[in-house]
Amino acid sequence: MSANDEPLLSVDNLQTSFYTEEGEVKAVNDVSYQIDRGERFAVVGESGAGKSVTSLSLMRLIDDPGRIKGGDVTFRSTSAVAKLARQFPEGVATENRSGYIHVDELRAESGSVGSDPGATVRDRPTEVATSLHDGSLHVEAGHVDVLDAPDEAMQELRGAEIAMIFQDPHTALNPVYTVGEQIAEAVRKHLDMGDAAARERAIEMLDRVGIPDAEERYSDYPHEFSGGMQQRAVIAIALSCDPSLIVADEPTTALDVTIEAQILDLLKELSDEEDVAIQLITHDLGVVAELCDSVMVMYAGKPVERSSVEELYYDPKHPYTVGLMSSIPRIGDDRDRLDTVPGTMPDLVQLPSGCSFHPRCPYAEDACIQHEPPLVDTETGEPIEEPDADIHTAACLEYTGDLQDGVEFDVQIREDAAADGGESV
Amino acid sequence: MSHESQRTTTTERGRIRVTGFDTSVFEDRDERFDWQQDESTVSRDRLTRAWERFKRNRTALVGLSIIALMLFTTIFARPIVIEGITVQPFSLAPFDPTNSNFAALNEAPTATHPFGTDWSGKDILSRVMYGGRYSLTIGVITVSIALSVGVPLGALAGYYGGWIDEVIMRLVDILYAFPFLVLAIALIAVLGQGFWNMITALVLVVWISYARLLRGEVLSVKENEYVTAAKALGARDRSIIFRHVVPNAMAPVIVQATLGIGTVVLNAAALGFLGLGLEPGSPSGAACSPAVAVA
Amino acid sequence: MSLQRYLIKRLLVMIPVLFGVTLLTFSLTKMLPGSPVDYILQFQETTPGLRDQLRAQFNLDEPVYIQYWLWLRDAVMLDFGDSLISDRSVSGAILTRLPKTLLLGFMGFAIAISIGIPLGVIAAINNGNTVDEASRVAALIGIATPNFWLGLMLLLVFSVQLGLFRVIPPDKAVLSPAMLKFVILPAITLGTASSALIMRLTRSSMVEELNKDYVRTAKAKGLSERTVIVKHVLRNSMVSVVTVAAIQVAFIVNGSVVVEQVFSWPGVGRLLIDAITQRDLPVLQAIVLMIAVTIVFVNLVADLLYSWLDPRIRY
């Protein structure tokens, strides 16, 4: 079962740029992270930090003038590998040929394919495809190179394996088709169902996301739904084909607070019950706390801190994270004013020298103007080879020992709550 | 592993407080930290910037040069004389467009007559150059008058609403039922031919589209806060409409009006072709009419 | 339910419009200098007795509002009296020519739509590149070319020089092969400007729709590019294209007046021009009224189509 120990999604050194008249906008500049099966992973940052572009890149939904310049996106889903290998046998990587579908391990139900099962996988992809199709072979392990896949293969992945939820449900639904049709459409495309079955499935999904009278609401148009209901419908579309990863791009930003809580509860419940991983894009640290397991903070197209959610809250490392957290008002706060991160994020065409954050960082020293900090393990100060959720990393010269005065701040936890939780920092 | 670790305590909001992110250091920090982005656009006045943008647009430049060329040829085609004083002495047109040369009737293009001659031996190139004056003046005058009718009516209808709106818009609806050319034809049939009759007929059909367009814009512009603010300050309706509302609603009307000059010229030419334009004499459209007989 | 109410409201608004249209058409003759009798007599000298007789015959001795009422009553019954020139009934004259104009109009409209929409889609998909640029220039030329000039050139090249088409229309039934062949050039002439306009509009509304969030949702579902464009984007763009297509009907009527003249097409447009040159007022009135009423109804249909295409619109 080695496959399941590996992360569902690995993003390595992803670079996406937009080519505009002003120059190259490095919206995503060397981003690496990974998401485990069923994990809820948050990407946090101000607007323009490259969060949305990161998610659109892994869906390969970057339009002109944007382009994914480099990096790897590895998606390890046996169902995706099996499906793609069946449909695109020519895309299977073999020893003689490169490809974007990698079948690492097969299990035969009865007998084997050819005389040597191991060799078959590598050498006779077409035969394997047939055997996968008739069900005599099962994919045990394998992965898809998302950035290398042709468009047709991406269409099979989108919606079926990686689904997406968008920020503004009001504009995310097509106004001229019924809500039900917009769900059924995805079902027909990916689950090989007829009209009637797809309709059933769509109603079931509407019911699943908590829309009352799902059968009747099936033929309603989006404008007949409230904002919260529209977002539920968008979630129903995302969920309809049993994806293993849902990318939720600020799913609650456009909704009011009570609805936000409902939608977050729904996402949490769904990810627990359906065992689907969630990549949540948000600028709201409160949302992260409620929903997620681990988190990556982005600034100016780069990750500046990565850790589990508890670590980040109780022991933030990067000054930017510290600044973000200082700006959250606290119940019973006795401060006169909130500390905010002063200034705005720089234009991504032209980044400040050294650490991109130094103009806004109260701890900045000369070294910060000259050297760009690498992302390092905050314990050892060593650069990390592979992104690992268990290692707390940050990109600040403080942790490479290059700062003279260091980064000083306090994290206080309200007494009573700390006692309740029994957590010690 | 991380998602399995206990995370019982993080859900309550506002429990953690971080201090020490002291932004007051910015006040007396050395200016080498004040990284500034290079200004990509040096501040220039609006006209210069508009011209810079315009120059980058190839289509716009081509269009501008065509218009400039047309203006040039029509202005300098024949001398312009106002009350006996020659304002413009040049004459680019090779022949007098009204002068008939009966030795050369219906000639095919030659070196002397690059466009040939018409049934009465007039040089067609000269007639085209000279006739452009009529086309351009008809276009500009018609659109200007139509604007001065359509803009106030559209503004009134949009701003006041109610019965004023009903009356003006029903009138517009009624006129809209008649196709541009058909109405113009009918009006010319009634009014008779001639330069000003043609302009009257065209104005009567053109103003409605400006009125309709401006009304729609005014309806949305008048919801803006600055209009409410002007009202609260006690500004009179007239000054609100013409100082605050109309200037902000004019953009699409101006675009439409610019395009409208072309439409008017084309329709004037079509009227000329149908024999309903100016009296036999001038613009390009009328010149085409006898060509039917040739074809 | 709401659609029904909208329909009723829309029909009620049409009443004053139709009233105004008839009033305007009627007053066309009243605006003429001189007495209508002069026009009836085609300005020939005659005895005062005949003049009085004609005044009575055409109800010219009644007050104006009675005249209008009598005219309107007959007009509703499609009775516009007799032509002053040919002694035929006006409606008869129009009806014999109507099928030919309808054929020309439908063909022109079909060409405008079938060229304009696909080219608009292609331009939108190629937004910003050479194909888009070329289509912009083509559209500009299409819009700027006067239809009488285009008609003459087509006639000159394809009929006179290449001999592919007849120069004047054959005297055949409307739907006969010879007629259908002849109508090609006039229909192209008629449809060119409209197709250019429809193309630009389809392009701009497609480009606008392509940037909307629902397109990303559709792509994120894994739908193919083709499905996203045809099913989602085009359907939404059509909402605004339909409105403009309706305006194109008026445009086509405009054009057909000129095109019929160029191709000697024996349709209503030619009848209109003949009526004007011969001062045949009843024919002029009848044609103008007929066109106006048609356009009022076309606009109604466009509005209904609009609210059917866009489920959000419920007045």
Side-chain angles (χ1 to χ4, degrees):
Chain A
M1 296 301 283
S2 61
N4 283 342
D5 297 341
E6 285 188 283
L8 173 68
L9 179 83
S10 303
V11 174
D12 297 296
N13 310 103
L14 182 69
Q15 290 180 313
T16 303
S17 287
F18 288 82
Y19 296 88
T20 65
E21 279 182 27
E22 278 81 39
E24 180 187 352
V25 180
K26 293 177 179 168
V28 176
N29 192 355
D30 202 10
V31 171
S32 303
Y33 63 93
Q34 56 190 35
I35 301 177
D36 289 334
R37 270 153 241 284
E39 182 185 353
R40 294 188 288 254
F41 180 80
V43 180
V44 183
E46 283 170 281
S47 12
K51 302 164 294 177
S52 293
V53 178
T54 307
S55 359
L56 290 173
S57 298
L58 74 92
M59 294 284 280
R60 292 257 309 272
L61 284 175
I62 299 290
D63 285 326
D64 266 354
R67 206 156 56 78
I68 300 172
K69 271 171 65 189
D72 282 305
V73 175
T74 310
F75 186 61
R76 294 182 192 81
S77 153
T78 51
S79 55
V81 172
K83 189 176 180 182
L84 291 182
R86 270 204 297 275
Q87 287 193 21
F88 306 97
E90 70 285 358
V92 177
T94 64
E95 273 166 0
N96 332 327
R97 202 156 48 101
S98 61
Y100 58 93
I101 306 164
H102 300 267
V103 185
D104 298 334
E105 212 176 295
L106 282 174
R107 175 168 55 86
E109 198 91 302
S110 53
S112 58
V113 188
S115 50
D116 182 359
T120 320
V121 178
R122 293 288 176 204
D123 301 334
R124 288 199 283 278
T126 323
E127 214 168 315
V128 173
T130 327
S131 309
L132 281 169
H133 189 69
D134 64 27
S136 59
L137 272 185
H138 297 274
V139 174
E140 282 288 290
H143 61 272
V144 180
D145 283 339
V146 174
L147 298 186
D148 291 336
D151 290 343
E152 293 76 31
M154 275 318 292
Q155 285 161 15
E156 294 301 325
L157 280 185
R158 286 184 205 128
E161 290 289 338
I162 310 175
M164 203 158 177
I165 300 170
F166 298 97
Q167 177 167 353
D168 186 354
H170 181 67
T171 55
L173 293 167
N174 190 334
V176 303
Y177 289 105
T178 62
V179 171
E181 164 60 22
Q182 295 186 55
I183 304 170
E185 177 180 50
V187 174
R188 284 198 302 267
K189 160 90 186 176
H190 294 298
L191 298 187
D192 211 11
M193 285 184 178
D195 287 355
R199 190 192 153 91
E200 280 305 305
R201 171 84 183 166
I203 293 172
E204 189 188 310
M205 280 299 129
L206 283 173
D207 193 50
R208 183 75 188 80
V209 296
I211 288 176
D213 304 321
E215 183 122 27
E216 280 142 53
R217 301 314 292 264
Y218 177 92
S219 33
D220 276 3
Y221 286 95
H223 70 275
E224 293 167 300
F225 274 38
S226 66
M229 298 259 276
Q230 284 173 343
Q231 193 60 299
R232 285 171 192 266
V234 173
I235 295 174
I237 295 175
L239 209 62
S240 62
C241 303
D242 290 323
S244 35
L245 173 66
I246 290 181
V247 178
D249 188 351
E250 309 233 11
T252 56
T253 307
L255 304 173
D256 55 40
V257 184
T258 45
I259 308 295
E260 170 173 38
Q262 292 172 15
I263 295 291
L264 290 177
D265 283 345
L266 176 67
L267 282 176
K268 197 175 195 172
E269 180 197 323
L270 292 174
S271 83
D272 285 340
E273 291 175 12
E274 314 281 336
D275 194 34
V276 49
I278 292 179
Q279 175 181 322
L280 179 81
I281 317 286
T282 182
H283 59 263
D284 185 345
L285 283 167
V287 171
V288 175
E290 274 175 57
L291 192 66
C292 293
D293 309 313
S294 46
V295 58
M296 172 171 79
V297 181
M298 281 185 77
Y299 184 80
K302 292 178 200 153
V304 291
E305 184 161 2
R306 239 179 13 218
S307 78
S308 69
V309 167
E310 292 86 24
E311 286 261 340
L312 189 88
Y313 278 70
Y314 292 108
D315 189 15
K317 295 291 189 192
H318 194 279
Y320 178 58
T321 317
V322 173
L324 281 182
M325 291 188 53
S326 317
S327 63
I328 302 175
R330 192 181 90 147
I331 299 166
D333 219 328
D334 49 4
R335 284 180 294 181
D336 291 339
R337 50 186 286 272
L338 281 173
D339 290 326
T340 53
V341 187
T344 52
M345 207 167 58
D347 190 326
L348 293 173
V349 178
Q350 202 190 345
L351 290 174
S353 61
C355 172
S356 308
F357 186 59
H358 85 254
R360 301 173 70 188
C361 180
Y363 311 106
E365 297 180 8
D366 283 330
C368 301
I369 305 175
Q370 282 146 21
H371 306 293
E372 185 177 344
L375 199 60
V376 295
D377 184 335
T378 53
E379 297 290 321
T380 63
E382 294 297 317
I384 30 108
E385 296 290 313
E386 288 269 293
D388 186 334
D390 297 333
I391 303 175
H392 193 155
T393 54
C396 180
L397 294 178
E398 163 76 358
Y399 307 103
T400 56
D402 290 323
L403 290 192
Q404 284 165 351
D405 293 343
V407 173
E408 281 172 29
F409 55 89
D410 276 334
V411 179
Q412 300 159 0
I413 295 151
R414 214 168 66 201
E415 298 295 318
D416 51 343
D420 286 345
E423 187 97 16
S424 58
V425 178
Chain B
M1 278 299 279
S2 68
H3 64 284
E4 286 154 21
S5 61
Q6 342 103 356
R7 36 187 301 282
T8 45
T9 58
T10 49
T11 52
E12 197 187 338
R13 282 194 187 200
R15 229 168 30 72
I16 302 171
R17 182 221 244 178
V18 176
T19 49
F21 190 80
D22 187 3
T23 52
S24 59
V25 297
F26 288 104
E27 281 153 29
D28 44 35
R29 193 159 75 163
D30 195 294
E31 65 179 19
R32 67 180 189 278
F33 291 99
D34 298 341
W35 177 84
Q36 282 292 322
Q37 198 156 335
D38 289 350
E39 282 301 326
S40 55
T41 44
V42 189
S43 65
R44 274 163 288 160
D45 66 287
R46 235 162 52 131
L47 272 178
T48 326
R49 249 182 322 181
W51 174 240
E52 291 283 319
R53 286 217 348 243
F54 188 85
K55 275 200 294 191
R56 258 183 274 150
N57 187 340
R58 252 184 310 142
T59 333
L61 275 184
V62 172
L64 184 71
S65 30
I66 292 177
I67 291 175
L69 184 72
M70 274 171 62
L71 274 179
F72 181 81
T73 43
T74 55
I75 291 174
F76 294 101
R78 301 302 293 170
I80 299 172
V81 178
I82 296 172
E83 293 182 11
I85 305 159
T86 309
V87 185
Q88 193 284 106
F90 298 99
S91 174
L92 286 182
F95 293 90
D96 184 342
T98 53
N99 209 358
S100 296
N101 173 8
F102 293 104
L105 303 181
N106 280 332
E107 261 196 15
T110 58
T112 27
H113 302 285
F115 283 13
T117 59
D118 69 1
W119 59 275
S120 60
K122 291 168 187 155
D123 178 54
I124 293 181
L125 174 66
S126 307
R127 279 169 60 83
V128 167
M129 289 171 78
Y130 186 68
R133 281 192 192 168
Y134 288 89
S135 298
L136 291 180
T137 15
I138 287 175
V140 172
I141 295 180
T142 303
V143 169
S144 319
I145 302 179
L147 277 177
S148 61
V149 177
V151 165
L153 288 179
L156 289 179
Y159 186 77
Y160 288 108
W163 67 267
I164 298 180
D165 187 30
E166 279 298 313
V167 169
I168 295 175
M169 289 329 282
R170 285 300 84 78
L171 183 62
V172 166
D173 280 348
I174 290 165
L175 289 175
Y176 241 106
F178 298 93
F180 197 99
L181 200 57
V182 171
L183 188 55
I185 286 173
L187 288 168
I188 287 178
V190 170
L191 300 169
Q193 284 166 252
F195 186 77
W196 288 105
N197 284 348
M198 183 157 176
I199 286 180
T200 312
L202 288 171
V203 166
L204 281 174
V205 290
V206 172
W207 74 270
I208 48 178
S209 57
Y210 304 146
R212 193 179 238 200
L213 199 58
L214 188 72
R215 171 185 174 268
E217 284 296 307
V218 166
L219 279 183
S220 67
V221 168
K222 77 169 181 183
E223 300 302 325
N224 282 331
E225 262 104 36
Y226 56 80
V227 176
T228 322
K231 271 187 204 160
L233 288 170
R236 282 171 310 156
D237 276 356
R238 200 175 58 190
S239 97
I240 294 176
I241 294 177
F242 289 103
R243 296 202 43 193
H244 297 283
V245 177
V246 172
N248 284 297
M250 276 303 277
V253 180
I254 290 170
V255 172
Q256 178 81 14
T258 324
L259 296 173
I261 297 180
T263 321
V264 166
V265 171
L266 275 182
N267 278 284
L271 283 173
F273 169 78
L274 294 172
L276 296 166
L278 307 181
E279 284 91 1
S282 0
S284 333
C288 279
S289 181
V292 192
V294 182
Chain C
M1 176 59 192
S2 52
L3 194 65
Q4 265 173 10
R5 273 186 56 190
Y6 171 62
L7 185 64
I8 291 169
K9 193 185 148 206
R10 196 64 184 65
L11 285 171
L12 285 177
V13 172
M14 269 174 65
I15 293 173
V17 172
L18 283 175
F19 176 74
V21 164
T22 55
L23 197 61
L24 189 65
T25 314
F26 175 75
S27 40
L28 277 179
T29 54
K30 296 292 150 200
M31 290 193 289
L32 281 171
S35 154
V37 177
D38 291 330
Y39 293 92
I40 296 166
L41 290 170
Q42 300 288 305
F43 295 94
Q44 286 161 8
E45 288 295 319
T46 182
T47 59
L50 185 57
R51 292 186 77 95
D52 287 342
Q53 191 193 327
L54 282 171
R55 284 177 69 85
Q57 187 190 333
F58 288 93
N59 303 313
L60 292 171
D61 43 3
E62 306 279 349
V64 174
Y65 63 91
I66 299 282
Q67 287 180 35
Y68 169 65
W69 167 246
L70 292 171
W71 176 79
L72 186 61
R73 194 192 58 191
D74 290 345
V76 169
M77 310 300 292
L78 295 180
D79 176 6
F80 295 94
D82 290 335
S83 160
L84 300 180
I85 308 297
S86 66
D87 289 335
R88 291 184 61 184
S89 81
V90 171
S91 4
I94 293 177
L95 282 179
T96 49
R97 298 206 173 205
L98 193 58
K100 300 216 171 76
T101 290
L102 286 179
L103 173 68
L104 178 60
F106 275 118
M107 295 293 282
F109 197 64
I111 286 177
I113 298 273
S114 58
I115 293 177
I117 292 181
L119 285 187
V121 173
I122 292 170
I125 295 169
N126 289 293
N127 186 15
N129 72 16
T130 339
V131 177
D132 185 28
E133 199 68 24
S135 82
R136 182 206 304 272
V137 173
L140 210 61
I141 293 171
I143 292 170
T145 307
N147 48 11
F148 52 85
W149 183 84
L150 179 64
L152 287 174
M153 290 304 124
L154 290 177
L155 207 56
L156 193 66
V157 174
F158 291 99
S159 305
V160 178
Q161 293 187 343
L162 297 177
L164 295 176
F165 297 94
R166 290 174 57 110
V167 176
I168 50 163
D171 191 13
K172 294 272 172 56
V174 170
L175 290 175
S176 61
M179 213 50 167
L180 288 177
K181 186 187 171 198
F182 182 82
V183 85
I184 293 176
L185 288 186
I188 290 175
T189 313
L190 193 54
T192 301
S194 291
S195 73
L197 282 169
I198 290 179
M199 178 176 107
R200 289 313 285 171
L201 184 84
T202 307
R203 179 198 168 273
S204 63
S205 71
M206 280 269 293
V207 168
E208 192 188 324
E209 293 294 330
L210 275 169
N211 284 322
K212 293 211 170 147
D213 287 355
Y214 71 79
V215 177
R216 212 174 43 185
T217 314
K219 282 185 186 163
K221 271 182 221 171
L223 301 180
S224 67
E225 193 80 9
R226 194 189 160 81
T227 314
V228 172
I229 301 250
V230 174
K231 182 176 174 182
H232 289 267
V233 179
L234 195 57
R235 169 72 198 270
N236 276 283
S237 319
M238 281 307 111
V239 175
S240 50
V241 173
V242 159
T243 335
V244 168
I247 298 173
Q248 293 307 305
V249 172
F251 205 81
I252 294 273
V253 173
N254 260 342
S256 67
V257 174
V258 176
V259 170
E260 288 184 7
Q261 201 71 8
V262 174
F263 289 90
S264 323
W265 186 259
V268 179
R270 245 179 110 83
L271 191 63
L272 176 68
I273 299 299
D274 290 347
I276 287 171
T277 47
Q278 296 167 336
R279 297 176 185 277
D280 195 345
L281 295 176
V283 176
L284 173 67
Q285 270 182 331
I287 294 177
V288 170
L289 184 65
M290 183 192 80
I291 289 173
V293 171
T294 311
I295 286 179
V296 170
F297 277 96
V298 166
N299 286 342
L300 174 71
V301 171
D303 269 9
L304 295 180
L305 209 55
Y306 191 77
S307 61
W308 175 73
L309 274 175
D310 189 344
R312 283 167 300 183
I313 296 171
R314 290 282 182 268
Y315 297 81

